[in-house]
Amino acid sequence: MTKPRKPLILVCNDDGIFSQGIKALAEIADEFGDVAIIAPDRQQSAVGHAITVSTPLRARPFRIDGRFDGQAVSGTPADSVKLAHNQLLDRKPDLVVSGINHGSNAGINILYSGTVSAATEGTILGYPSIAVSCTDFDEDADLSGCQDAARKVIGYVLNHGLPRGVTLNLNAPSGPLKGIKWARQANSRYVEEFEGRVDPHNRNYYWMTGKFQLLDEDEKNDISMLEKGYASLTPIQYDLTAYSLLNDLREIEL
Amino acid sequence: MTKPRKPLILVCNDDGIFSQGIKALAEIADEFGDVAIIAPDRQQSAVGHAITVSTPLRARPFRIDGRFDGQAVSGTPADSVKLAHNQLLDRKPDLVVSGINHGSNAGINILYSGTVSAATEGTILGYPSIAVSCTDFDEDADLSGCQDAARKVIGYVLNHGLPRGVTLNLNAPSGPLKGIKWARQANSRYVEEFEGRVDPHNRNYYWMTGKFQLLDEDEKNDISMLEKGYASLTPIQYDLTAYSLLNDLREIEL
């Protein structure tokens, strides 16, 4: 009888392979199976679901803490997961996890997030996938509660799987875990998004900045759960069709 | 009595301000109101919903064909729309249109599309927004049918508006317009996505390539409508919550 193989867990992120967060997530993945870290070779925040089509990609092997084998990819988070699936892994992963991102990916930030896009790409390729982010931007933030939340969600998904086409998006505050709450993506936006400045040559330039605004009226959303100190867990989908409208619109002849 | 102001239409894209497609779309927008072209200063395909947070943005005024005033932005399509809204326009637009993209943005490609992300950003900012793409990649493709479709959809949206949170995603074949069909985002994916090569220094590199695969079983999707020669029109949303699952998932304690 052959020994049953341990699950293979692909770990990716958007902060790059040398971030604290990816190490913290690999440690949790390691409790459940074999770990392969395949992630961007540098910071790729706010890249959304970008992919690299006009330059070739490279992958460079590396080792973190003398413990985890990995490959550093010269591309985006979505590139990394695609390349892992198509070329770099010698067996199919049982799970894709992305993170731990330094900074939350809740509300409208889900759209801009490279962390979430790596997990979404995992889902597109047919793997159960989870994105994990911590509200704290500090590289030395206490990720222990976020790790505890990730452990629960990874354990659940490895046991029960996920419906096709659905990604889980997990966010947690820094510090100890108070609990995990299911939530929807908050209706939210940024206002006053740019600061205009004038350079020494008298030309204008603009820094992206902005204030986050929560527009939701009830509290069953990810941002509100995080504000109350809970971890939030949101099932998201990459079929963007607004089905609730499509039937009515079909009546309109153009 | 003051003369009623013409609608202001913001035109963006992801192929950059010097593409044929953006000119073709500006010509149609011009039939309905005042046109402001604010778009990336270079090709930005497949950037998804990327935004630029770690470098400042610049905008440079330009004129196309001695006819349309515009600004070329040193960033992504989403950056361009945000900067237009926050800093560059002196009044709020009545409509945001993005395109005409050289290459369709249907099925899974919607996720990777800079063209669609510019329109989505318009929706996030509260403006009725439309993305327009042509299936033909050729810079000299016959965009007349695509322009006809855009004219119909722009006319409809300026008259009737759009529900909040919804973007219209229009795709059309090159050549004359056969008709416009409402459709959902096709369930689709890419397979065999990379071609591995070895460089003169004996190191591996990978080109993204891949075959598009339609997984849908019925024909009410965007890809199938395009294959039949119709333009496809899909309402899409940026709330990614998988609501159909959320109620069941709430029963699960983690």
Side-chain angles (χ1 to χ4, degrees), chain A residues 158-225:
Chain A
L158 282 175
N159 277 324
H160 298 88
L162 278 178
R164 239 198 110 76
V166 172
T167 309
L168 290 185
N169 185 38
L170 173 66
N171 285 277
S174 56
L177 180 64
K178 185 170 163 185
I180 303 175
K181 300 285 187 186
W182 292 98
R184 54 184 170 66
Q185 175 183 327
N187 183 9
S188 53
R189 65 173 177 191
Y190 283 92
V191 289
E192 298 160 35
E193 290 186 289
F194 291 91
E195 188 182 315
R197 297 191 179 182
V198 179
D199 75 14
H201 312 291
N202 216 28
R203 294 178 306 188
N204 294 321
Y205 65 102
Y206 307 91
W207 284 104
M208 194 169 287
T209 160
K211 288 179 202 149
F212 188 81
Q213 217 178 35
L214 180 61
L215 302 168
D216 246 312
E217 304 204 337
D218 77 49
E219 292 189 324
K220 289 181 171 175
N221 67 77
D222 48 8
I223 304 280
S224 296
M225 291 304 167

Side-chain angles (χ1 to χ4, degrees), chain A residues 12-19 22 38-47 55-60 62 71-78 80 101 114, chain B residues 54:
Chain A
C12 188
N13 76 345
D14 78 349
D15 286 324
I17 50 163
F18 298 113
S19 74
I22 202 167
I38 297 179
D41 58 9
R42 69 201 76 176
Q43 171 70 251
Q44 292 272 340
S45 291
V47 295
T55 54
L57 296 174
R58 291 181 180 273
R60 188 166 41 86
F62 73 97
Q71 304 224 36
V73 173
S74 64
T76 67
S80 302
N101 191 62
Chain B
S54 49

Side-chain angles (χ1 to χ4, degrees), chain B residues 3 15-17 20 43 53 59-60 78 87 89 96 104 113-114 134 140 161 163 179 213 219 222 245 250 254:
Chain B
K3 196 176 151 198
D15 286 325
I17 51 163
Q20 289 302 314
Q43 170 71 252
V53 290
R60 188 166 40 86
Q87 299 280 343
L89 293 175
V96 177
S104 72
S113 166
C134 177
D140 297 319
Q213 219 179 33
E219 293 188 326
D222 47 9
L245 281 172
R250 282 193 201 282
L254 286 171

Side-chain angles (χ1 to χ4, degrees), chain A residues 58, chain B residues 198-203:
Chain A
R58 291 181 180 273
Chain B
V198 178
D199 75 14
H201 311 291
N202 216 29
R203 294 178 307 188

